[in-house]
Amino acid sequence: VGDSKDFDSEAKSVCPFCGVGCQVSVKVKDGKVKSVEGINGPSNEGRLCVKGRFGFDYIHHPHRLTKPLIRRDDAPEKGLNVDLDNIGLHFREASWDEALDFSARGMVDLRSFYGGESIAGFGSAKCTNEEAYLFQKLIRQGFKHNNVDHCTRLCHASSVAALQENVGSGAVTASFNEIENADVAIVIGANPTENHPVAATFFKQFAKRGGKLIVIDPRRQTGLKRHATHMLQFRPGTDVALLNAIMNVIVEEKLYDRQYIEGFTEGFFEFREHIRAFTPERMSDLCGISPEMIRDVAREFATAQRGMIFWGMGISQHIHGTDNSRCLISLALLCGHVGRPGTGLHPLRGQNNVQGASDAGLIPHVMPDYQSVTDGSVRDLFRHIWLGTEIQEKPGLTVVEIMDRVYRGSIRGMYVLGENPAMSDPDVEHARKALAHLDHLVVQDIFLTETAMFADVILPASALPEKTGTVTNTNRTVQMVQQVLPPPGEAREDWKIVVDLARRIGLDWDYDHPREVFDEMKMSMRSLHHITWTRLKNEGAVTYPCKGPEDPGQSVVFGDGFPRRAGRAQFTPARVTPPAEMPDDKFPMILTTGRQLEHWHTGSMTRRATVLDAVEPEANCSMHPSTLRQLGVAPGEHVRLTTRRGTLEIMARADRAVAPDMVFLPFAYVEAAANILTNPALDPWGKIPEFKYSAVRVEKVEGE
Ligand code: SF4
């Protein structure tokens, strides 16, 4: 990093990638970020992973959008046919006034002609809390409905549904740092060494000091496996069978915490009867784990003084994702592993501000702080705060449902802020056709994303180091980000663009600073009680809930009961449901998707970060060496992957962590977009697609 002569200015910010929320110091020289180093934030204690340390220069990439763009009248048909060499064929530069007027006029015309529900909005988990709040307010107030969502629908919507149902709150019950107080920890359906690397360092330290680390995943998890006391590589899609079998042992051997169950839960007796059928012997063949291992894990977890459960999208991205999460909640409740130091439930949140965007109401069935739109008193509260605005009682549509309505033509306009459904939706060819159908698409982003290629107007926005506001990490910690440098060219901070657009569609908005938005959020969000802009500015981070103006916040919650009726959490039995499609003669293998250490989500940022792209430049999939041998494919050669949705060709790698009947496919590469293949079948409660399981055929690409 060098001494202070090496840079002109320095500011504190938060890493823009994952939900760990590492605090960073960003050093600027000659108007450009020169380096980033970790500082002593509550979640990272000075540590950073490769993305946080070396992934910053995407903000200076020549592809940054620096002027508003409007689709030309004589542009070619909409599609993924735009590149930087022919951008002028499709779009012309416009002034901000013209672009904002054009954006607003298209929305207002649709509203007048077809009604407000002809327009929907996708906000972003990469924006600040204030921007997420303003975005959902614009849709709800400007168009009088709740059809506004964001990428939480694609990552942890099912976890949130189960947590809200059974413990009364969608956020984690304990920070991941609490693992230092635990005796045993289960990490299931998550690959933290790649996806939450700084959190993984705490997990490894826990194991090194003798903590029992139980890793459960269909992939063998080379990163954490070396530190694990138990590694259960179970059959994909059999989560409920395995977890119910573990709980069967705890029930049959009476290892459960009777006192805790009597004091803090409801539904135990029905649950106990339900679980009796799931003996380890009966479930063993289905999930591929021996009865002895199931018993061992059950005893380790139940007899420990303090246990935690961490999970990722391997749990949530199934049509039974909510049932998977219900099982994990029941497991923790059975053992009394909630509400004390070293205990808790922790879905590892993905994007840097997916927790905050969800808290801020960027969800179709709830207002800020998860207050249901169906509750009259909630609607009254917002009618009061939003000066007479009537909130629609009907819950809105989710991401995949909205794209389906777009495809069928009942939604004709969209405002997309920082999301990339042309890459992130399941069965993405369907989503791309839908986007091409839109009469009016406004995209606000920092790059010409695949979604922006379908836009009628593109509004150049700001990256995280270019804005001021607050973000909330996976630990419920609200952190302040300070503007490190201004957005490039004519690009603007996102909150300013949303405000300008709101005014043009007729809303009487008057905000001059994100602080004013934060203060308005506090009027309806009890979670922000005792958290002020000044505190955040001075302290950098405060965790909610917060007991007083001096309290740094509660790392562990629900020690004295749950925010549910009678203060009790609930056991909800879960049945075994097979994946929506199973392998057969035509599609004999299982496709699962995920992330890689160096790349982030749809790759729009990390593939433009020099170091990260140099380390991992090419689209790839991974298979077991024996599978490659059977196919006659050498590592580095290409295979063709085909599902019922589509086909793509991609370089194959050998990886012993992947089971012989599986293919692992990262989803960051547009040239081999994983979601061409994935299944849009939805979990009925969380409405999350089954990204983690599709039936696939794999063939060698001949001629290599
Ligand atoms: Fe950024 Fe997550 Fe890495 Fe921390 S662990 S540096 S937040 S990507």
Side-chain angles (χ1 to χ4, degrees), residues 640-671:
R640 183 177 306 108
L641 307 179
T642 306
T643 68
R644 289 181 175 83
R645 272 72 53 196
T647 187
L648 58 82
E649 293 182 4
I650 191 166
M651 185 253 287
R653 280 183 179 161
D655 185 351
R656 289 183 187 283
V658 181
D661 59 349
M662 283 180 74
V663 184
F664 173 72
L665 180 59
F667 52 68
Y669 300 92
V670 63
E671 63 273 32

Side-chain angles (χ1 to χ4, degrees), residues 454-580:
F454 292 87
D456 295 284
V457 55
I458 302 172
L459 307 173
S462 47
L464 199 65
E466 297 160 359
K467 58 178 76 171
T468 295
T470 66
V471 291
T472 306
N473 75 358
T474 189
N475 285 345
R476 294 181 264 103
T477 303
V478 186
Q479 308 194 88
M480 179 155 282
V481 291
Q482 306 272 8
Q483 188 179 55
V484 177
L485 70 181
E490 296 178 21
R492 291 184 178 174
E493 287 181 71
D494 291 84
W495 72 269
K496 289 183 179 167
I497 304 172
V498 178
V499 170
D500 283 342
L501 203 45
R503 287 178 180 145
R504 280 172 165 83
I505 65 166
L507 301 179
D508 184 20
W509 283 18
D510 183 21
Y511 302 101
D512 285 325
H513 193 277
R515 181 181 49 244
E516 296 167 13
V517 185
F518 183 82
D519 287 344
E520 181 179 313
M521 292 166 68
K522 283 170 60 69
M523 294 168 74
S524 64
M525 295 176 69
R526 288 175 60 86
S527 61
L528 297 179
H529 207 41
H530 297 300
I531 303 179
T532 64
W533 190 268
T534 307
R535 271 196 80 179
L536 290 169
K537 213 167 167 188
N538 293 338
E539 298 169 37
V542 183
T543 298
Y544 73 79
C546 185
K547 286 188 172 164
E550 309 293 325
D551 179 18
Q554 305 297 304
S555 170
V556 179
V557 292
F558 307 149
D560 50 3
F562 295 88
R564 293 185 77 256
R565 60 179 173 266
R568 290 174 179 272
Q570 174 177 284
F571 287 97
T572 298
R575 303 193 178 283
V576 174
T577 311

Side-chain angles (χ1 to χ4, degrees), residues 700-704:
K700 177 181 166 79
V701 175
E702 297 297 343
E704 292 208 323

Side-chain angles (χ1 to χ4, degrees), residues 133-177:
Y133 177 87
L134 288 178
F135 189 85
Q136 58 86 34
K137 180 175 176 180
L138 181 146
I139 298 293
R140 289 186 155 120
Q141 195 174 39
F143 302 106
K144 307 276 188 279
H145 60 70
N146 297 305
N147 296 338
V148 60
D149 204 358
H150 76 297
C151 69
T152 189
R153 193 65 43 206
L154 306 176
C155 59
H156 268 301
S158 49
S159 310
V160 171
L163 285 164
Q164 282 185 311
E165 172 190 51
N166 295 292
V167 302
S169 163
V172 300
T173 74
S175 76
F176 68 76
N177 310 72

Side-chain angles (χ1 to χ4, degrees), residues 231-294:
M231 172 75 232
L232 282 66
Q233 187 176 14
F234 71 109
R235 295 220 165 85
T238 64
D239 317 60
V240 170
L242 175 60
L243 293 167
N244 276 352
I246 291 170
M247 290 190 282
N248 172 281
V249 176
I250 295 170
V251 165
E252 294 299 345
E253 297 187 7
K254 295 194 169 43
L255 301 176
Y256 49 82
D257 185 336
R258 180 185 295 273
Q259 203 176 356
Y260 184 84
I261 291 167
E262 285 175 2
F264 291 105
T265 72
E266 61 184 15
F268 173 66
F269 294 108
E270 298 85 336
F271 180 82
R272 188 176 62 181
E273 292 316 303
H274 167 80
I275 216 73
R276 288 198 195 283
F278 296 88
T279 63
E281 282 70 23
R282 289 181 68 188
M283 295 300 111
S284 172
D285 281 351
L286 180 60
C287 59
I289 302 296
S290 70
E292 295 72 31
M293 179 63 103
I294 292 171

Side-chain angles (χ1 to χ4, degrees), residues 15 17-22 47-49 51-53 195-199:
C15 173
F17 296 110
C18 89
V20 171
C22 297
R47 307 169 202 193
L48 288 184
C49 78
K51 286 190 286 289
R53 177 71 181 85
N195 300 329
H196 302 84
V198 166

